Amino acid sequence: MITGTLLTVLPEVKTDPYLFAYEKHADQLHGDRPYIKHVEEVFTEMYDGLVLACAAGISDLSNPFDDVSLHVYLIAALLHDVVEVCYDDRAEGLREVNELFGLEVGSAVDYLTDLEGSSRKIRKEKWLARMSGVINAEDPRFVPMMVKLA
């Protein structure tokens, strides 16, 4: 089990993001496994990618937990599906994420959440159109794009 307590050093984070995701996905399955296993895998891939970036000299850190700005990536990884999968009302889900984890995390989760569409294919096409053109870390869609790649 991952504990999110290291990720709660951001002043806008009001609750443990891992426990929040764990509780929201409690009775859900991703395929034939508990949904939280998928969440943990995305988190681990995001963390490992950030460690590699640090090791490659993109950052002068040896551990992504040492850089508070990287916590947004890690929290977004934990919450990447929570609005889409756990809320009937997208606006309500995003409001709660913004309140509990701050606007930067909320924005990333918003971009990670599919828009409405009559089929999965249409929802994914809308998402791809919304995300096209991300070229650098200054783009507010950069964090969600990296989480999606994880």
Side-chain angles (χ1 to χ4, degrees), residues 22 25-45 80-81 85:
Y22 185 87
H25 293 297
D27 297 323
Q28 298 173 334
L29 294 175
H30 189 265
D32 60 348
R33 300 176 334 147
Y35 208 99
I36 197 65
K37 296 298 180 192
H38 165 68
V39 170
E40 290 171 347
E41 289 169 352
V42 172
F43 174 87
T44 300
E45 289 294 322
H80 75 276
D81 277 345
V85 174

Side-chain angles (χ1 to χ4, degrees), residues 15 20 24 79-103 105-111 113-114:
T15 191
F20 180 80
K24 288 294 184 184
L79 303 180
H80 75 276
D81 277 345
V82 77
V83 170
E84 186 174 317
V85 174
C86 302
Y87 289 87
D88 292 330
D89 182 327
R90 175 191 172 96
E92 177 187 332
L94 290 172
R95 180 190 50 73
E96 185 168 23
V97 169
N98 282 325
E99 285 177 9
L100 294 175
F101 303 101
L103 296 178
V105 169
S107 174
V109 171
D110 181 19
Y111 280 114
T113 302
D114 281 350

Side-chain angles (χ1 to χ4, degrees), residues 37-134:
K37 296 298 180 192
H38 165 68
V39 170
E40 290 171 347
E41 289 169 352
V42 172
F43 174 87
T44 300
E45 289 294 322
M46 186 79 260
Y47 176 82
D48 289 349
L50 293 172
V51 168
L52 287 173
C54 291
I58 295 169
S59 170
D60 58 355
L61 303 168
S62 60
N63 184 336
F65 286 126
D66 294 338
D67 185 343
V68 172
S69 68
L70 297 181
H71 288 204
V72 173
Y73 290 83
L74 297 170
I75 295 171
L78 289 171
L79 303 180
H80 75 276
D81 277 345
V82 77
V83 170
E84 186 174 317
V85 174
C86 302
Y87 289 87
D88 292 330
D89 182 327
R90 175 191 172 96
E92 177 187 332
L94 290 172
R95 180 190 50 73
E96 185 168 23
V97 169
N98 282 325
E99 285 177 9
L100 294 175
F101 303 101
L103 296 178
E104 194 172 4
V105 169
S107 174
V109 171
D110 181 19
Y111 280 114
L112 286 160
T113 302
D114 281 350
L115 299 172
E116 289 186 30
S118 59
S119 69
R120 185 176 197 281
K121 181 181 181 211
I122 291 172
R123 291 189 302 273
K124 296 306 174 190
E125 287 173 354
K126 284 183 173 183
W127 186 85
L128 287 170
R130 186 178 191 205
M131 298 300 285
S132 69
V134 176

